Amino acid sequence: MYDTYWSYWEELSKDQRKYEEEKEKIASNTINAIERVNPGITDEVEVTDVATPMTTEKFTSNGRGYGSKEDFRMKDTLRRFLNKPLVLKTLKNLYVIEHSIGGTNLYGCAAMGRNTVKKICKKEKKSFVGS
């Protein structure tokens, strides 16, 4: 996940060719970075998909996607959302984990789930063993 400006993607999305070129550039740069750590991975990549703040708004109807850079920072997301699943005081032992409440993507949702299980273990005085 990269920090970015909403306005940048909003403006870029007005020219579909430039928008797609930027997404391809990000995918390529990301794969190249992974290649340095895992040589040969580039040849194994079959499909890429880069989600932008515009993608989030389109598919989740969340206002302004992730929001502006001033409103959204990775550090804040990790601190506020990934550690705090949605709970309802009126329903005991209900934990809601999903992208639109802070998971932001598959990995974010997985982190929320892991952290929720850790909290449940702590509440029940059981040891948490992660893999």
Side-chain angles (χ1 to χ4, degrees):
M1 185 178 290
Y2 298 95
D3 282 338
T4 190
Y5 289 97
W6 168 268
S7 58
Y8 174 77
W9 289 100
E10 182 180 40
E11 186 62 33
L12 200 59
S13 70
K14 293 175 184 174
D15 183 331
Q16 195 62 32
R17 182 186 57 77
K18 288 182 180 178
Y19 180 79
E20 293 300 325
E21 284 175 357
E22 185 65 10
K23 288 174 55 169
E24 287 176 25
K25 180 179 157 188
I26 289 170
S28 178
N29 289 346
T30 302
I31 292 167
N32 289 338
I34 296 170
E35 179 73 29
R36 288 193 294 274
V37 178
N38 294 314
I41 194 85
T42 302
D43 295 334
E44 302 299 322
V45 175
E46 295 179 13
V47 177
T48 61
D49 185 24
V50 174
T52 71
M54 305 308 289
T55 309
T56 302
E57 181 178 55
K58 178 180 177 181
F59 290 104
T60 69
S61 297
N62 288 336
R64 292 183 57 91
Y66 295 127
S68 67
K69 186 168 181 145
E70 292 75 29
D71 296 332
F72 175 81
R73 290 185 180 84
M74 178 61 73
K75 180 173 69 174
D76 296 334
T77 298
L78 293 172
R79 185 181 307 121
R80 284 192 312 234
F81 297 121
L82 298 183
N83 290 317
K84 297 181 182 177
L86 178 65
V87 295
L88 299 176
K89 293 178 182 178
T90 56
L91 287 174
K92 217 173 185 183
N93 298 318
L94 172 73
Y95 303 91
V96 180
I97 299 165
E98 63 169 308
H99 78 280
S100 64
I101 60 166
T104 66
N105 58 32
L106 177 63
Y107 306 107
C109 289
M112 287 179 74
R114 182 178 194 276
N115 291 332
T116 299
V117 171
K118 284 175 74 172
K119 287 179 186 221
I120 292 169
C121 287
K122 184 176 181 178
K123 181 180 170 186
E124 295 184 2
K125 297 184 185 345
K126 295 183 178 184
S127 59
F128 173 80
V129 180
S131 57

